[in-house]
Amino acid sequence: MESQETAKRPIEEPNDAVVVQDAEPASKRVKLDDQPQPQPQPQTEEEKPKEQRQDDRDKRRGIAPIKKEYLVVLPSQVAKTAEVVDDDAAEGRTAPDAEAATGKGGKKKRPKGQNKEREFGIFADAQRLCNSVAWTPEFSPRHCKHGERCNALHDIRKYLKEGRRPDLKVFGGKCPVWETHGKCSSGWRCLFVESHMKEIEHEDGRKELVLTDDPTKIKPETTSSVPPEEESMDARAGVYNVVAPAVKLALSRKKIQHEKSDQYLKWMAKDSELARIHYHKQKDDDDVAKDYAAQYVEPPLKPSEKRRIYFGRETPVLAPLTTQGNLPFRRLCVELGAEITYSEMALGLPLLQGQKADWTLMRAHESEITHPRYTPTGIVDPAYDNAKDLKFGVQITAHAPWIAIKSAETLARYLPHLRVIDLNCGCPIDMVYKSGAGSALLDAPSKLERMIRGMNTVSGDVPVTAKIRMGVRDNHLTAQKLVERLALGAPDIRAVSGAPGCAAVTLHGRTRQQRYTKAADWGYIAECAALVKSFNEKADSLQDTIREADERSLPNGGRMYFVGNGDCYSHVDYFNHVDNAGVDSVMVGRGAIIKPWIFEEITAGQYLDKSATERLAYVEKFAKYGMEAWGSDELGLNYTRRFLLEFLSFFHRYVPIGLLEYLPPAMNDRPPAYKGRNELETLLASKNYLDWIKISEMFLGPAPPNFKFQPKHKSNAYENIEAEG
């Protein structure tokens, strides 16, 4: 007999619903097309007049106002209290699960919290093909460095027959990478290899298998003289900021010198000790400042003049997103109108150690090294040159100044296509916070200032920026003082040392403590924006009071840009924040994963009711872009599948605006059980990750038997409930 819990599951309300206490009831929102609010039909003649009645769903905060004709309601449905979705998944959190497996009375509870130590299975060919033959004609293999000791296959025909699964039939059996670039970087391992191979017959009657290219599609700049087996996975067509394996090897062996950083760190140690001695003297602040100024020694290096950057209402920003902010996703967002992008957050120490995983995050697609849109209407730095600007920046985090400073020098040296180097001061992940990095820097303003000053000194012409939160704890907000310090420097020594050189600050309107349990505080962001405006006006006069201003230490001619971040889900939200909160631009995070075309809406200035077919086309593009970035072989294809499923874990939350009673939609509103306008729309709204795998198979073929996927949030893992009976 089917259990009551199982019977209810297909029609129950989503377990990832968010109750936002400060959110407006749906009845107070802007109405669709500015028409009078549609009223429910009276059940009897004795009902109140329509204009005096209100839909019961309007009284339920945090619930999306789905039109009645799309609701799925059964008599057995039981109203539930909405739960809070753990959107720290977007920041890669792996916090322990605090929920017990059973509730009161021994009843089974739906799993909540994070899936820790997720596994994705092992996906590889049944028999490995040696690199010496993986890209060559059958009769012309390269020398195998392992010789007779090599345990990989060298027989291409045997490999194609026994060593791998048959070619995929999706995309008509044609390799998406080859169709776009005229060659395939996966060689014989490609799961579409039959579309770019042929058998030729020689004069002696021998038949040889060879790979084919299409010279008409190959761009000159994508050709490489480096043998494929010596190239890193990053070295693919249309990908930039590829660091040579030899550089990463030298970093791992500590053979790379950081001359600028070493000089600056030596000076910083002496200066910090000097400041510590004077600050511990029993004097008032003015005396301390004068005493420190008398013994202050200029740093041995001056910052190089920085490339000017620009943020405006026409430059919506895609946030740095752990896991979801990968290259294929950023490429999709740029195509839809994102003007500024950031890499996923990389850890500074692994970068200095040459670890491949973190250096891989520094890659940029060719669309990201184009110029951002520039149609200024307000005050603009006259020295700004849009032709020298580009979209892509990188984000790092570090727990010690020496790591941040050396990382900045290394990135500026080896990555030729960088807009900015952003220091993450807001990451709430326990592992990062407890190490003293991320949001821990919010409570260490002196250390943070030293990091920014040092990074600005050694980063060449690449500007340095910071991303912060309102504070660590709800009852102790520190962002206003921190923004002042980043703009002007510490109050007691700013006249001596000048501004730190922070070109822009992004403020996420939440504390570390609250995570995503409340709406972003745009009122507080607006207060900080007003302060930044006053600091920009104050900066010039301050520099002239004690010593002559050095333009090299002043980013953007003395102006620090200010960007707001949090809960932006539509063009209405975006322009409301720019116009009313006073920020230069808005950074979009979760809203872009749920509906990447938010950037298209911002450009168009209107809502776009995307059909299920259009939304599925974005999934298809992600699959193609993933294979271009990671390969069309077994490994690359299932790497793409894994990140596509991570994308779908947010993408399914979108509720088509054509199904809503009122606008604007709210990102934190979760829908009751509903059906779409067609079967595909209903499938795309499924919270069951098994349906996500089915969607991935439309473009990536059947998932291999040993492929595994566990959603970051356990409420999506339906198998857990079934396994528990």
Side-chain angles (χ1 to χ4, degrees), residues 138-139 157 199-202 204-209:
E138 184 180 10
F139 298 158
R157 294 180 185 269
E199 186 178 58
I200 60 175
E201 185 173 355
H202 295 283
D204 58 3
R206 293 186 306 162
K207 295 181 179 180
E208 180 182 21
L209 295 178

Side-chain angles (χ1 to χ4, degrees), residues 18-38:
V18 171
V19 177
V20 183
Q21 299 297 331
D22 298 329
E24 285 187 324
S27 59
K28 294 184 180 180
R29 295 191 190 133
V30 178
K31 298 164 190 170
L32 182 61
D33 296 330
D34 295 326
Q35 296 298 318
Q37 177 180 350

Side-chain angles (χ1 to χ4, degrees), residues 598-660:
I598 184 175
F599 300 106
E600 194 176 1
E601 291 185 342
I602 292 171
T603 302
Q606 64 181 20
Y607 290 105
L608 299 174
D609 188 8
K610 296 289 184 177
S611 67
T613 303
E614 290 176 298
R615 292 165 59 201
L616 188 65
Y618 296 141
V619 176
E620 179 181 359
K621 282 188 175 183
F622 185 99
K624 289 182 176 180
Y625 295 165
M627 283 186 277
E628 289 184 36
W630 298 311
S632 53
D633 57 352
E634 189 72 57
L635 180 63
L637 186 137
N638 285 292
Y639 205 68
T640 298
R641 191 189 309 274
R642 179 235 165 148
F643 285 103
L644 174 58
L645 294 174
E646 302 281 11
F647 173 38
L648 291 174
S649 71
F650 281 82
F651 193 68
H652 83 277
R653 296 187 194 176
Y654 173 71
V655 180
I657 60 173
L659 274 60
L660 296 176

Side-chain angles (χ1 to χ4, degrees), residues 15 113 272 293 302 330 364 382 439 504 559:
N15 240 23
S272 299
K302 290 289 186 180
R330 297 197 311 268
S439 55
R559 178 185 181 183

Side-chain angles (χ1 to χ4, degrees), residues 472-540:
V472 174
R473 296 169 295 280
D474 292 347
N475 61 355
H476 184 58
L477 305 183
T478 58
Q480 290 187 359
K481 290 185 177 180
L482 200 58
V483 166
E484 179 180 3
R485 191 155 188 163
L486 292 174
L488 304 175
D492 46 0
I493 63 170
R494 62 180 53 155
V496 178
S497 56
C502 189
V505 170
T506 300
L507 174 60
H508 185 172
R510 291 182 171 90
T511 63
R512 177 185 185 268
Q513 180 182 354
Q514 76 183 70
R515 301 290 175 93
Y516 287 94
T517 59
K518 297 179 182 178
D521 190 344
W522 277 92
Y524 187 83
I525 294 176
E527 293 175 9
C528 292
L531 286 175
V532 171
K533 183 178 180 180
S534 67
F535 297 154
N536 287 333
E537 296 172 352
K538 183 179 179 182
D540 290 338

Side-chain angles (χ1 to χ4, degrees), residues 56-73:
D56 289 340
R57 286 171 292 133
D58 294 347
K59 301 176 183 178
R60 303 178 64 185
R61 295 184 178 182
I63 303 299
I66 302 291
K67 293 177 180 178
K68 285 188 174 181
E69 59 264 35
Y70 298 108
L71 291 175
V72 178
V73 181

